[in-house]
Amino acid sequence: MSERPYVLLSCAMSVDGYIDDATPERLRLSSPADFDRVDTVRAGCDAILVGAGTVRADDPQLLIRSPARKEQRAARGMPSDLTKVTLTWSGDLDPAAKFFTTGSAPKLVYAPAGTAGDLAARLGDLAEVVDAGEPLTLDTVLGDLAARGVRRLMVEGGGGIHTLFLTAGAVDELQLVVAPFLIGDPSAPRFVGSGVFPQSPEHPMRLEEITRIGNLALLRFLTGAGRG
């Protein structure tokens, strides 16, 4: 893969690997202390990426919550908020989503060539729609982000995006929080889907750190993927 940002993938899951249940309400797998930790991690990144499915299902703001952390970023010459990034194949994005309506940092939407034109007309000045080729490729997305000065990218889901990045060998660091319960519903979304992963028994990731956060466990893995 060509030059790209350092990619940090962050996820919370149940012991049995689910990132939500099958009910309409969003399942909170994390805790206030862990949300604050995630805010710290976000504050150290240049951009944050989620899939269009996450934008539709969760309507996240993807902002840094702490005013002090925003001020610290400004003091380092960084924007107070992260550049927001999403990937869409269908173009099914609501212009009223919080992804577009909150925060002052740029919003980037990567879409296939056949979708990008109509989507750009619909979103107007809410976001920049980038033609990522036909088909859309992760190499194109990450190369474009690097050219825009994004050195550190945080990826926050959902499962399809996790699978895309991991199978492509495009993740440098995985921060995985494990919640102390099980979901057990095969219709609920999982951390990753089926795929051929370079992080295999023959090429395992390196467990760099284990941290207890109340009743949660944070596992920090380094993949050895590199950035070039």
Side-chain angles (χ1 to χ4, degrees):
M1 186 170 288
S2 60
E3 182 182 353
R4 62 169 177 81
Y6 183 94
V7 175
L8 186 158
L9 194 153
S10 174
C11 183
M13 70 176 194
S14 64
V15 169
D16 54 344
Y18 289 93
I19 57 175
D20 201 352
D21 58 20
T23 66
E25 295 78 24
R26 177 66 175 162
L27 175 66
R28 295 295 181 183
L29 291 127
S30 197
S31 65
D34 187 53
F35 286 133
D36 189 63
R37 177 196 65 82
V38 170
D39 199 55
T40 301
V41 177
R42 284 184 179 182
C45 295
D46 301 299
I48 185 167
L49 183 151
V50 297
T54 297
V55 175
R56 289 190 293 268
D58 299 341
D59 198 18
Q61 297 187 49
L62 304 177
L63 302 176
I64 297 168
R65 301 180 181 186
S66 163
R69 292 182 187 122
K70 288 176 178 281
E71 292 173 4
Q72 290 164 4
R73 284 173 60 89
R76 299 197 300 269
M78 301 173 69
S80 59
D81 278 313
L82 303 166
T83 295
K84 298 183 193 179
V85 184
T86 191
L87 310 183
T88 180
W89 281 260
S90 68
D92 181 14
L93 287 167
D94 184 353
K98 292 174 185 175
F99 180 96
F100 301 110
T101 61
T102 61
S104 57
K107 289 89 175 174
L108 301 174
V109 179
Y110 291 89
T115 303
D118 289 344
L119 183 59
R122 187 152 53 83
L123 293 178
D125 60 2
L126 291 173
E128 179 181 350
V129 178
V130 182
D131 182 340
E134 194 68 62
L136 181 154
T137 67
L138 196 53
D139 200 6
T140 299
V141 172
L142 293 176
D144 185 74
L145 287 173
R148 293 171 185 270
V150 174
R151 294 170 298 174
R152 193 171 179 90
L153 173 67
M154 188 171 184
V155 175
E156 288 197 4
I161 292 293
H162 296 157
T163 306
L164 176 67
F165 272 80
L166 286 165
T167 55
V171 174
D172 299 285
E173 179 177 340
L174 170 61
Q175 295 190 6
L176 190 61
V177 167
V178 181
F181 50 78
L182 297 91
I183 302 299
D185 185 345
S187 65
R190 302 194 69 114
F191 166 47
V192 293
S194 300
V196 178
F197 295 90
Q199 309 84 10
S200 65
E202 293 76 25
H203 300 94
M205 297 180 288
R206 185 171 85 239
L207 180 59
E208 189 72 7
E209 179 184 348
I210 304 174
T211 304
R212 180 172 181 171
I213 307 171
N215 211 23
L216 306 173
L218 166 64
L219 309 177
R220 189 167 76 90
F221 296 95
L222 299 180
T223 68
R227 284 189 285 174

